[in-house]
Amino acid sequence: MTAEQMDQILALVGPDLTKMTTNYRAAIEPKQRLAVTLRFLATGETFSSLAFSYRLGRTTVATLVHMTCRAIIRRMMARQFPRPTQNSWREIASSFWEKWNFPNCLGAIDGKHVTIQAPDCSGSLFYNYKKTFSIVLLALVDANYKFINVQVGDFGRSSDGGIFANSDLGRGMANNSLHVPADTLLPGSGVQGPMPHTMVGDAAFPLKTYLMRPYPGHHLPRARRLFNYRLSRARMVVECAFGILAARWRVFHTTINMKPCNVDNVILAACILHNFLVSPADNQRWLDEEGERGNRLQSVRNVGGHRGPGDSYEVREKHFFHVPWQDKMV
């Protein structure tokens, strides 16, 4: 993340992070709240470690991380996850055909287990087949590794197919209420007639007219093996998206020690920031729109450690932000 990109995020979430300075203490500036949160997401450090690094209290660090994640969701969710339209579905299908040679594809879907510390009195609800405790992130991804739809918060014991069936995406596809384009001919062939647009997933998902999965078995005819190869090639974009997400926000490589509701906010905020960084060309356009509404702050100046009333530091003119790329449950 560049300093300019951080400046853009601060311009959007800053109003929700601004607190009043009183006679008892100076409020932590929005830019430092955002810096601490981004460092937590990018490194997965414990709140105690971040408290030492930024000269803040551990409880203060935990509070501002949760606050910033909620602000990111509130301010950026609608922009980074717009409701799909027929035109957007067609653009996604065209990208899949051009890049991955799979026609009429609406996206690749899969689930990711985010490891957490077992919540109190939760029994085996969060216990998964990997013998860890987790919360499931179900995501639909386009051909450019960008999340189209995500669902967060399901128990680790749940299967991908069951989560999809009970999700808003699954119900919307079943009810045909998501503005999916009408059936079209496959590129280069019209023998089969119009074919439906569909998502692609692995063997954990059910076979539907709007969801394709590979043929089961090992000794398959050549035509089926070729189909499985094409489907697997298109489906791998969701695996790559999860890999990019975890590589950029390395909190996903740790065991997150928070309450489940706070883990949901961390996961969702990381997905929003992932989309923000994947498509930087679109960010300036809607940043200008937010500026017209008056939701813009000053540029980022300094994101150093928090100073006490007796400390001072020089405010530099150039932007800078350094990212080096839990104790009790809070």
Side-chain angles (χ1 to χ4, degrees):
M1 180 182 294
T2 65
E4 290 76 15
Q5 289 172 328
M6 181 185 174
D7 193 7
Q8 294 174 356
I9 297 173
L10 179 63
L12 296 171
V13 305
D16 290 354
L17 304 181
T18 303
K19 300 299 178 181
M20 182 181 298
T21 298
T22 67
N23 295 330
Y24 298 99
R25 50 88 180 117
I28 301 174
E29 296 180 354
K31 58 193 175 187
Q32 187 172 1
R33 295 176 184 269
L34 179 60
V36 174
T37 302
L38 292 178
R39 186 177 179 90
F40 167 74
L41 294 175
T43 63
E45 292 186 49
T46 63
F47 291 151
S48 296
S49 176
L50 290 172
F52 281 114
S53 300
Y54 286 88
R55 300 176 63 180
L56 297 169
R58 179 187 171 280
T59 303
T60 302
V61 171
T63 301
L64 65 87
V65 166
H66 301 327
M67 178 190 302
T68 306
C69 288
R70 290 193 296 267
I72 291 172
I73 296 170
R74 185 163 48 249
R75 291 284 183 171
M76 302 176 65
M77 180 73 174
R79 295 286 185 172
Q80 296 300 331
F81 290 93
R83 186 172 180 83
T85 62
Q86 286 195 3
N87 290 334
S88 64
W89 285 128
R90 290 192 182 98
E91 292 176 0
I92 293 171
S94 176
S95 298
F96 266 100
W97 172 245
E98 292 174 0
K99 292 188 174 183
W100 308 110
N101 299 118
F102 200 93
N104 291 13
C105 183
L106 301 178
I109 189 170
D110 201 4
K112 174 179 175 60
H113 288 271
V114 179
T115 308
I116 64 172
Q117 188 72 27
D120 295 336
C121 304
S122 63
S124 61
L125 287 176
F126 295 91
Y127 193 72
N128 59 44
Y129 69 97
K130 298 180 180 180
K131 302 185 185 303
T132 61
F133 294 88
S134 64
I135 286 177
V136 179
L137 163 63
L138 183 73
L140 180 67
V141 179
D142 67 9
N144 299 310
Y145 314 110
K146 184 176 179 179
F147 294 119
I148 305 170
N149 180 278
V150 296
Q151 172 156 320
V152 182
D154 289 280
F155 299 131
R157 65 181 296 181
S158 305
S159 65
D160 290 347
I163 295 172
F164 172 74
N166 295 318
S167 66
D168 293 337
L169 176 63
R171 290 193 294 264
M173 295 297 293
N175 299 331
N176 197 23
S177 60
L178 296 182
H179 309 290
V180 176
D183 299 355
T184 59
L185 298 175
L186 296 180
S189 175
V191 179
Q192 300 89 349
M195 302 296 290
H197 289 78
T198 180
M199 299 176 291
V200 294
D202 57 19
F205 292 92
L207 180 64
K208 304 285 185 180
T209 56
Y210 50 82
L211 178 58
M212 298 294 292
R213 52 171 284 171
Y215 284 103
H218 300 283
H219 304 288
L220 300 174
R222 183 177 181 276
R224 293 191 177 186
R225 283 189 283 111
L226 181 60
F227 173 83
N228 282 358
Y229 165 75
R230 288 292 186 89
L231 186 142
S232 177
R233 189 182 181 198
R235 191 188 64 81
M236 285 303 293
V237 296
V238 66
E239 304 287 355
C240 294
F242 287 149
I244 295 171
L245 177 72
R248 177 176 284 133
W249 309 116
R250 300 190 70 83
V251 67
F252 292 105
H253 287 294
T254 66
T255 300
I256 304 177
N257 192 12
M258 296 181 184
K259 294 179 181 178
C261 60
N262 291 328
V263 177
D264 295 347
N265 290 335
V266 168
I267 297 172
L268 191 52
C271 292
I272 292 172
L273 294 174
H274 169 89
N275 277 11
F276 178 85
L277 296 175
V278 165
S279 57
D282 297 334
N283 297 334
Q284 188 60 46
R285 174 180 54 80
W286 57 268
L287 182 67
D288 294 337
E289 296 176 3
E290 292 294 328
E292 294 175 358
R293 301 188 182 97
N295 296 331
R296 197 181 169 105
L297 293 181
Q298 297 297 323
S299 299
V300 180
R301 295 293 182 183
N302 190 294
V303 291
H306 186 56
R307 265 68 175 182
D311 297 332
S312 62
Y313 56 84
E314 178 185 358
V315 178
R316 303 182 183 275
E317 292 299 326
K318 294 184 178 180
H319 303 333
F320 69 96
F321 177 57
H322 300 287
V323 176
W325 37 349
Q326 297 169 352
D327 321 331
K328 292 184 180 178
M329 187 172 294
V330 294

